[in-house]
Amino acid sequence: MKRTTIKDVAEAAGVGVATVSRVLSGGSASPETRERVLAVAAHLDYRPSALGRNLRQQRTGGIGLLVPDLTDTLYGRLAEGVLACARSAGEPVVVGSTGDDPEQEAELIGMLLEQSVDRVIAVPSGDAEVWGPAMRAGMTVVFVGEQPEQEPGDDDPLDELLLLDGVRSAPRPDSAIPTVLADDRSGVRTAVQYLKGLGHRRIAYLGGPGHPRRVAAFRQALGPLADEDLIVFAGGSRDSAYAAASSLLQSHRDVTALLAGGNPLGEAAVLASRELGLRIPGDLSLVMYDDVPWAELCSPPLTVIAQPGQDLGYRAAELVLRAGARRPRGVLLPTELIVRGSCGPRP
């Protein structure tokens, strides 16, 4: 007979997986919701093996790794770093793809809890509430590559990082989840300064979900030259990225340089430029955040902001394996501007 899962309880109770996890781990919920979830769980004979105190008592080891897209080259390199570190520690790794969707992310967290996995490395979707049940259940969590959105007025925990052992780090207060990031702000600033040095003034930014630090760095680096009409965001799909790039380049013919905030966005910018008959770099200089194999094979090869994907994963695994030790609040790894043939002087 198939064992009842947390997803079965959520569907029967008409709530999300995150809500079921929150109720069963003693978190906040309305009296009506709590009563309904508990009644359904009892009716279905659901036995949460790893919630609350049972998580510590029944620990089986292992590391959960949650990324938005397993086909993305960056996340593949990140996973390689996690696997290399986990292998050296003799720990198995359970990998899941969230699709950058908070509901799917919550479901995977629930599954990891059921499987008694108590260490998780995640590229978070951006919804901090999804992680409440995991934290209340005693999971050790490390974020990598991204941070959930903060409430307005919250300090950025990486604003006060100090250089230590080749990376920047800061003490971690008990309430904060350690985060391993690439220094995207420095990378974006360097790229914009490079384009300005080539004479470009109408510089556009093509972004996707997340990465608010990159957008903020872009605006700051451009200063008075920043034009909000030239800062465009796409959804998470490749079709959305292509549509956004094509619309931007068609409606703003005076744009002479474009910074793409990720490799799917860079791919979309290259395709849209070709469709519109724009020469790179004759008509449009292009910089892409993240170095991937095809970037060097383009004609011309793309100038990129390279981030150390494998090192990001390795450092995140090191942090999550430091059970009981005082871990830094954040680790910031350097980025590098690699100049290739996709940028030239302003036409």
Side-chain angles (χ1 to χ4, degrees):
M1 182 177 177
K2 181 185 174 187
R3 187 168 68 90
T4 302
T5 68
I6 193 171
K7 185 178 180 182
D8 296 329
V9 176
E11 289 177 352
V15 298
V17 172
T19 301
V20 176
S21 294
R22 189 163 59 248
V23 169
L24 297 180
S25 61
S28 61
S30 69
E32 296 80 6
T33 298
R34 181 180 300 281
E35 183 177 349
R36 184 166 71 253
V37 169
L38 292 176
V40 169
H43 177 71
L44 296 178
D45 195 26
Y46 174 64
R47 294 183 176 88
S49 63
L51 291 172
R53 65 179 183 275
N54 289 338
L55 180 63
R56 291 188 178 87
Q57 294 172 351
Q58 299 181 10
R59 178 183 175 273
T60 59
I63 299 171
L65 172 61
L66 303 182
V67 298
D69 182 2
L70 288 169
T71 67
D72 188 292
T73 303
L74 169 65
Y75 300 129
R77 294 201 309 264
L78 190 151
E80 284 295 329
V82 171
L83 289 168
C85 184
R87 193 180 303 119
S88 66
E91 293 279 2
V93 178
V94 180
V95 182
S97 177
T98 67
D100 210 27
D101 175 22
E103 280 295 319
Q104 194 167 329
E105 186 176 51
E107 182 177 332
L108 287 169
I109 293 168
M111 289 173 58
L112 292 173
L113 284 167
E114 287 185 329
Q115 295 169 14
S116 299
V117 175
D118 62 350
R119 294 187 180 107
V120 180
I121 297 167
V123 180
S125 65
D127 186 350
E129 287 190 5
V130 167
W131 290 92
M135 301 305 294
R136 286 190 292 273
M139 267 189 168
T140 300
V141 180
V142 171
F143 291 147
V144 59
E146 187 59 277
Q147 293 171 290
E149 293 183 9
Q150 303 174 85
E151 294 296 326
D154 284 357
D155 292 333
D156 187 333
L158 297 181
D159 277 340
E160 301 177 356
L161 300 186
L162 302 174
L163 193 62
L164 180 64
D165 296 331
V167 297
R168 289 194 279 173
S169 62
R172 180 183 65 90
D174 293 339
S175 60
I177 294 177
T179 305
V180 180
L181 295 175
D183 194 354
D184 45 13
R185 290 196 298 196
S186 175
V188 168
R189 282 197 301 265
T190 301
V192 171
Q193 289 165 3
Y194 171 67
L195 291 171
K196 288 167 69 174
L198 292 172
H200 295 281
R201 294 296 178 267
R202 297 290 287 168
I203 304 173
Y205 181 88
L206 179 62
H211 306 296
R213 294 162 58 83
R214 296 177 192 175
V215 187
F218 179 80
R219 290 189 176 103
Q220 186 179 30
L222 274 179
L225 295 177
D227 183 343
E228 291 299 316
D229 289 340
L230 303 185
I231 300 175
V232 175
F233 296 95
S237 70
R238 280 178 163 76
D239 287 344
S240 175
Y242 175 79
S246 181
S247 175
L248 169 65
L249 295 176
Q250 286 187 77
S251 58
H252 298 282
R253 292 285 183 171
D254 58 339
V255 167
T256 62
L258 172 65
L259 196 160
N263 69 76
L265 300 163
E267 178 183 317
V270 170
L271 293 175
S273 298
R274 289 176 181 171
E275 289 289 331
L276 296 172
L278 296 174
R279 297 167 301 145
I280 298 175
D283 301 314
L284 179 72
S285 289
L286 178 61
V287 178
M288 180 175 74
Y289 192 98
D290 199 21
D291 193 16
V292 291
W294 63 261
E296 199 168 5
L297 301 176
C298 273
S299 180
L302 295 190
T303 294
V304 298
I305 303 165
Q307 58 177 327
Q310 191 161 344
D311 287 347
L312 286 169
Y314 199 96
R315 292 304 295 259
E318 284 184 328
L319 288 186
V320 86
L321 287 169
R322 288 188 195 173
R326 182 168 180 80
R327 295 168 296 164
R329 182 179 183 185
V331 173
L332 201 61
L333 301 179
T335 54
E336 178 187 5
L337 181 68
I338 301 176
V339 176
R340 297 185 180 128
S342 64
C343 295
R346 182 182 65 179

